[in-house]
Amino acid sequence: MLDPFQREIDYLRLSVTDRCNLRCLYCMPAAGVKKKRHEDILPLETLEKIARTAVESGIRKIRLTGGEPLVRRGVLELISALGRLKSLGLRDLAMTTNGVLLASQAKDLKQAGLDRVNVSLDSLDAGKFRKITRQGELTDVLAGIRAAQAAGLTPVKINVVLLGGFNDEEIGDFVDLTRGEDLEVRFIELMPLGGSAQAPGGFLPATEVLRRCPRLTALPQPEHASVARLYRVPGGRGRVGLISPLSKHFCWQCDRIRLTPDGKLKSCLHTEEELDFRDYGETRIAEFLRDGVRGKPARHHMDEADFRPVARKMHEIGG
Ligand code: SAM
Ligand code: SF4
C-alpha cells in the first residue's frame, strides 16, 4: 500500500492488549489500567481477519505488541493463525515483549510460528530494573532472553530506552552484551507520550551512545527500511542500534501502521487521528486499512515547541 507521500506501507503493529504484568514508570500508571469491557477489545478472530486482509493488501511484517502481548489469553493460537499467513506473503512475524513470561513460553511461541522477539530491558541492575518497572525481577527477563535464543527466536533484539541520569552509566554494559553474542542492543530515545513525564531520567540523544563508546563503527544499512542506525564493536558478534525519533527522525522512511487493542487504526504514533474499526466492520477491512494508509501524515512534530503529546499512553498503543 502506498501512502500519499509514496511510502510503501508494509508493516502492521498489532497491539493485542493494553494490560501488562509490569508498571514501567514512563508507560503505565502505578495502579495498572482499568479493565476494559470484553466487548471493547477486538476478539482474536477479528485480529486474525484484519491481519489476513492486511497481508492480502501488501503487509509483509507483523509485530505483536501491547501492553504485554504474552498476558493476552490465546496469543499462541493467534500466532499459529498469523503464521499461516506466510503462504499469502507474510515474511516476518515478530513480537515486542517485556520478557517476563518468555522463559516458559519461548519454545511454544517458536513452534506456533513466531520468528523473533524484541525484549525491552532498561537496566542490567536488579534494583534499578525493579525501580523502573515498579515490580519486575531482572532474572526473569534475562532467563527469557536466554530461552528466546535457545528456541531460535533470533536475532533477539534488546530495546533500551535511554534515560539520562538513570541508565546512561550502563550504556557500556549494554554495548558489551553484543561482543560475544549475536544480539542486537537498540538504544531508543525517550519520546514525549502520555506518561513519559514519570520517567526516572531525562531525554538523552542516541548520539550519546557514540560519545561514550567511540570505538563503535557504523555498519552498512540493511537494504530494507530499518529505523535503527547500526554499529558494531570491533570484533563483536552482535550489533548496536540507535533509534532516534527525536534527534534524527526517520518519518520519511516510515513503513508502518498500528492497530490498538480496542480497534483504532493509528497511522502515526504521534497523531490523535484514529480510525475506528467499528465504523467499518468485518466486511470493509480492506477499506479500513486503505483509509488509514491514506491518512498517514508526512511526519511527526515532536521537535516543535508547541507539540502536544497524544493523550493515549504507550501501553494503549503498543510502541
Ligand atoms: N510490554 C512490551 C514491552 O515492554 O516490550 C510491549 C509494549 S511497550 C509499550 C513497547 C516499547 O515501547 C517498549 O520497548 C518500551 O520501552 C517502549 N516505550 C514505552 N514508552 C516509551 C516512550 N515514552 N518513549 C520511548 N519508548 C517507549
Ligand atoms: Fe508494560 Fe511494556 Fe509498558 Fe513496561 S513498557 S509497562 S512492560 S507495556
Side-chain angles (χ1 to χ4, degrees):
M1 287 179 279
L2 273 188
D3 82 353
F5 306 96
Q6 303 306 305
R7 291 171 298 197
E8 177 80 47
I9 307 304
D10 65 357
Y11 181 9
L12 171 65
R13 293 175 71 110
L14 268 185
S15 179
V16 297
T17 178
D18 60 348
R19 309 188 74 195
C20 188
N21 46 2
L22 295 182
R23 299 278 180 272
C24 298
L25 287 166
Y26 53 73
C27 177
M28 185 72 102
V33 289
K34 204 169 146 235
K35 196 168 180 226
K36 286 204 163 51
R37 292 179 312 165
H38 186 64
E39 57 272 30
D40 289 336
I41 294 289
L42 291 184
L44 295 176
E45 303 73 49
T46 306
L47 289 178
E48 184 193 336
K49 284 183 188 147
I50 294 174
R52 172 175 290 271
T53 306
V55 172
E56 286 166 352
S57 308
I59 292 291
R60 295 291 169 259
K61 299 179 283 182
I62 294 181
R63 174 175 298 276
L64 300 184
T65 175
E68 173 48 37
L70 292 179
V71 304
R72 172 95 195 239
R73 206 176 301 151
V75 74
L76 269 183
E77 288 75 17
L78 177 65
I79 290 169
S80 299
L82 300 186
R84 290 193 283 277
L85 299 180
K86 291 193 178 153
S87 61
L88 296 179
L90 180 67
R91 284 200 294 261
D92 187 33
L93 183 55
M95 175 184 282
T96 299
T97 168
N98 60 32
V100 171
L101 299 173
L102 254 187
S104 57
Q105 300 198 18
K107 251 194 195 160
D108 293 341
L109 290 166
K110 180 72 187 180
Q111 249 166 26
L114 192 70
D115 293 316
R116 58 195 184 87
V117 287
N118 287 23
V119 181
S120 303
L121 177 59
D122 296 332
S123 178
L124 294 168
D125 173 276
K128 278 187 172 178
F129 181 76
R130 174 166 279 268
K131 179 171 176 195
I132 191 152
T133 60
R134 292 200 183 94
Q135 60 192 55
E137 290 296 337
L138 177 65
T139 46
D140 292 343
V141 181
L142 297 179
I145 292 171
R146 295 282 163 248
Q149 288 177 308
L153 291 168
T154 51
V156 173
K157 298 184 182 177
I158 299 183
N159 288 353
V160 186
V161 177
L162 278 170
L163 299 162
F166 181 77
N167 63 5
D168 49 328
E169 294 300 329
E170 297 187 58
I171 289 174
D173 298 336
F174 274 111
V175 167
D176 280 345
L177 295 179
T178 69
R179 286 184 189 277
E181 294 197 59
D182 185 17
L183 276 175
E184 187 171 314
V185 170
R186 298 149 60 99
F187 294 98
I188 305 171
E189 290 176 352
L190 178 69
M191 294 180 280
L193 281 154
S196 60
Q198 312 303 319
F203 172 82
L204 259 193
T207 46
E208 181 65 16
V209 174
L210 300 178
R211 200 183 67 76
R212 297 207 182 213
C213 304
R215 295 189 69 210
L216 283 171
T217 49
L219 292 173
Q221 279 304 111
E223 218 170 87
H224 200 70
S226 161
V227 297
R229 282 169 290 137
L230 295 177
Y231 297 82
R232 174 166 280 156
V233 282
R237 283 186 64 205
R239 287 159 307 285
V240 172
L242 303 188
I243 303 183
S244 42
L246 273 120
S247 67
K248 197 169 189 286
H249 77 77
F250 36 77
C251 303
W252 56 275
Q253 66 183 71
C254 185
D255 58 355
R256 60 198 62 185
I257 50 176
R258 296 174 159 83
L259 188 70
T260 68
D262 53 350
K264 307 293 190 314
L265 191 84
K266 285 186 80 77
S267 57
C268 171
L269 196 50
H270 305 286
T271 173
E272 296 285 4
E273 303 276 312
E274 297 176 345
L275 291 183
D276 192 340
F277 176 71
R278 287 169 185 84
D279 292 338
Y280 290 79
E282 294 196 354
T283 54
R284 292 170 61 210
I285 299 175
E287 203 179 332
F288 174 57
L289 297 169
R290 262 201 319 272
D291 286 352
V293 168
R294 204 174 287 147
K296 193 167 167 68
R299 54 162 300 193
H300 68 63
H301 296 278
M302 278 192 288
D303 47 354
E304 292 172 11
D306 57 351
F307 174 75
R308 296 245 308 275
V310 291
R312 273 186 190 266
K313 293 199 170 58
M314 199 64 146
H315 68 85
E316 298 171 304
I317 307 173

